[in-house]
Amino acid sequence: MIRRPPRSTLSSSSAASDVYKRQLEQNFPNPFNPATRIDYSIAEKAHVFIAAYDVAGRRVSVIVDAEQEPARYSVTWNGTGDDGRTLSSGIYFIRYRAGGYTFTKKAVLLR
């Protein structure tokens, strides 16, 4: 039997970039009611801003606004606006911005 050495722990910022990619996954479930999960990851420490926008381009809800370490994250959005009111059925765009990168996914809310 061949014995292999254990895998090493990555500690440098460049190694972390190889492990975590900058990405925003498609929310699930989609369409959703009453809530949806948004999975994303960042490759290096950065300020992460994720918000939902209506089809007219108005920001309706800030979902994440925080400095975060390289990792995979999951957040649940309950389809409410920043004012706490329940949003109506429709198409919303989830926009992720971190470290100079921007990604957008479409989410459909069905009431």
Side-chain angles (χ1 to χ4, degrees), residues 27-78:
N27 62 298
F28 181 82
N30 190 27
F32 71 97
N33 179 13
T36 190
R37 187 184 76 224
I38 301 164
D39 296 328
Y40 64 97
S41 58
I42 58 173
E44 66 273 329
K45 184 175 181 176
H47 187 89
V48 177
F49 187 80
I50 299 175
Y53 296 82
D54 64 15
V55 293
R58 293 180 297 247
R59 188 177 72 208
V60 294
S61 181
V62 174
I63 301 166
V64 176
D65 186 5
E67 189 80 16
Q68 294 183 326
E69 297 292 329
R72 293 174 196 244
Y73 294 91
S74 182
V75 63
T76 300
W77 179 47
N78 61 4

Side-chain angles (χ1 to χ4, degrees), residues 2-106:
I2 299 173
R3 299 190 92 188
R4 295 187 178 143
R7 292 185 178 183
S8 62
T9 302
L10 303 175
S11 60
S12 73
S13 61
S14 62
S17 296
D18 293 338
V19 174
Y20 302 110
K21 298 183 189 300
R22 296 170 192 92
Q23 68 186 64
L24 171 65
E25 299 288 337
Q26 184 62 55
N27 62 298
F28 181 82
N30 190 27
F32 71 97
N33 179 13
T36 190
R37 187 184 76 224
I38 301 164
D39 296 328
Y40 64 97
S41 58
I42 58 173
E44 66 273 329
K45 184 175 181 176
H47 187 89
V48 177
F49 187 80
I50 299 175
Y53 296 82
D54 64 15
V55 293
R58 293 180 297 247
R59 188 177 72 208
V60 294
S61 181
V62 174
I63 301 166
V64 176
D65 186 5
E67 189 80 16
Q68 294 183 326
E69 297 292 329
R72 293 174 196 244
Y73 294 91
S74 182
V75 63
T76 300
W77 179 47
N78 61 4
T80 59
D82 285 336
D83 59 4
R85 295 184 353 202
T86 302
L87 296 174
S88 61
S89 294
I91 296 172
Y92 294 90
F93 295 96
I94 308 300
R95 181 171 296 147
Y96 156 111
R97 286 185 303 178
Y101 292 85
T102 302
F103 301 101
T104 304
K105 299 287 184 180
K106 181 170 65 172

